[in-house]
Amino acid sequence: SNNTIALDVNVTELKNKSPERVLYIGNSYLYYNDSLHNHVRRMLEEEYSKEIDTTNYKMVTISGSRLPHHIYEYPLNHKNLGAEEPFELVILQGGSGEANTISERKDFSLKAKEMIEKIHEAEAEAALYMIHAYVEPHEKTNPQMIIDIEDMYIKAANENKILVMPVGIAFENAYKKKPNFNLHKDYDGTHPNLFGTYLASCIVFSSITQKSPLLIEYDYFGKINSEDKNFLQNVAHETIEDFYGVEL
């Protein structure tokens, strides 16, 4: 069990566990490594046994952005993005320094509430993508960061009665098991590398479907070998069970 979790999550599942019309809003943490939304889509397609129409499956990112930087009402109107039907799920990912101070956490909380209300008005479900913490060589690496991130994301999710996806916790759990298995770009200690993106994709997949990531055959067209894939899927599986208190 993960001893860093300070709060229990109130929402442990989406109402719709097979959404195909999904909007991701975030920054480079999503678009690095050929884009998290593509990896998740391929995992979902495998689970659904059919192709997802990419017309209604979109990602909107701004480099270096935090929640307050997003002009989200425009993409939320699906027609503005060339989508034929309204989105069923909108996933929000905040900025990396956003949990650092009390005032910044308050800004996140206020903006999350505003965005989630608008998402619900558009008749979509909302979910928060809990980011990961920095590691060396990032100069702001510190053990408090993930605690502040967890606290901020779980509180916002609970206050707004929505799901939070425990990506950051999965990174912590992976590093506890294999400290030398890198999930970050080694040159900056902030952006995910391909393994980090794959782990995050497994977490998003399982958070949406409540299915175990151990069932996923997708390995990014052979780019991730079976040993690494199994390790990352196992970490995701255990993290999801532990975080939501479910059995997959």
Side-chain angles (χ1 to χ4, degrees):
S1 130
N2 185 334
N3 57 12
T4 55
I5 295 179
L7 296 164
D8 282 333
V9 288
N10 294 344
V11 177
T12 58
E13 59 186 351
L14 293 174
K15 291 185 186 79
N16 177 3
K17 293 177 194 61
S18 54
E20 293 181 52
R21 306 193 305 274
V22 184
L23 174 65
Y24 295 74
I25 297 177
N27 63 26
S28 54
Y29 280 14
L30 298 186
Y31 68 63
Y32 262 49
N33 314 308
D34 298 343
S35 193
L36 174 124
H37 82 296
N38 287 322
H39 299 292
V40 177
R41 176 176 49 79
R42 293 175 195 127
M43 291 173 179
L44 291 175
E45 286 178 333
E46 191 183 303
E47 167 62 26
Y48 301 164
S49 303
K50 64 172 178 178
E51 277 188 31
I52 290 171
D53 180 0
T54 53
T55 313
N56 290 287
Y57 190 92
K58 301 275 185 175
M59 188 175 77
V60 176
T61 57
I62 300 171
S63 59
S65 64
R66 299 178 169 203
L67 282 193
H69 297 152
H70 290 287
I71 304 159
Y72 62 91
E73 283 148 297
Y74 183 87
L76 196 52
N77 178 346
H78 61 286
K79 295 184 183 113
N80 290 332
L81 299 187
E84 286 159 12
E85 294 178 76
F87 295 109
E88 297 166 295
L89 173 64
V90 183
I91 298 170
L92 305 174
Q93 176 251 318
S96 63
E98 211 163 356
N100 289 356
T101 65
I102 290 167
S103 67
E104 288 168 305
R105 292 198 286 276
K106 193 177 177 195
D107 289 345
F108 175 91
S109 171
L110 291 169
K111 189 65 175 187
K113 184 177 194 292
E114 175 197 308
M115 292 174 87
I116 292 159
E117 279 173 4
K118 285 284 196 298
I119 290 164
H120 288 157
E121 278 171 27
E123 296 187 357
E125 285 187 86
L128 288 171
Y129 174 111
M130 183 199 294
I131 62 164
H132 55 263
Y134 302 143
V135 297
E136 299 289 349
H138 199 284
E139 73 270 9
K140 291 188 178 164
T141 302
N142 74 85
Q144 183 63 31
M145 184 175 182
I146 190 62
I147 296 164
D148 291 337
I149 287 169
E150 285 184 42
D151 193 57
M152 181 174 84
Y153 275 86
I154 294 171
K155 275 185 179 153
N158 286 349
E159 281 165 12
N160 295 287
K161 300 181 177 65
I162 66 161
L163 192 75
V164 55
M165 301 172 167
V167 173
I169 295 170
F171 273 57
E172 295 297 308
N173 291 343
Y175 279 125
K176 276 182 199 142
K177 284 178 189 285
K178 284 193 186 182
N180 299 322
F181 190 99
N182 205 353
L183 305 170
H184 290 72
K185 295 285 190 196
D186 53 16
Y187 55 79
D188 69 8
T190 171
H191 291 98
N193 65 16
L194 180 58
F195 291 138
T197 293
Y198 188 86
L199 176 60
S201 300
C202 288
I203 290 288
V204 174
F205 167 86
S206 289
S207 298
I208 291 172
T209 60
Q210 288 235 323
K211 297 282 175 72
S212 173
L214 299 173
L215 305 169
I216 296 167
E217 287 178 31
Y218 173 71
D219 58 4
Y220 191 28
F221 314 108
K223 302 268 193 315
I224 297 171
N225 72 41
S226 59
E227 188 189 342
D228 294 336
K229 186 183 87 155
N230 290 343
F231 170 65
L232 295 167
Q233 288 183 352
N234 272 291
V235 169
H237 179 97
E238 288 172 22
T239 302
I240 290 284
E241 287 199 330
D242 196 48
F243 187 72
Y244 295 127
V246 296
E247 274 188 49
L248 297 176

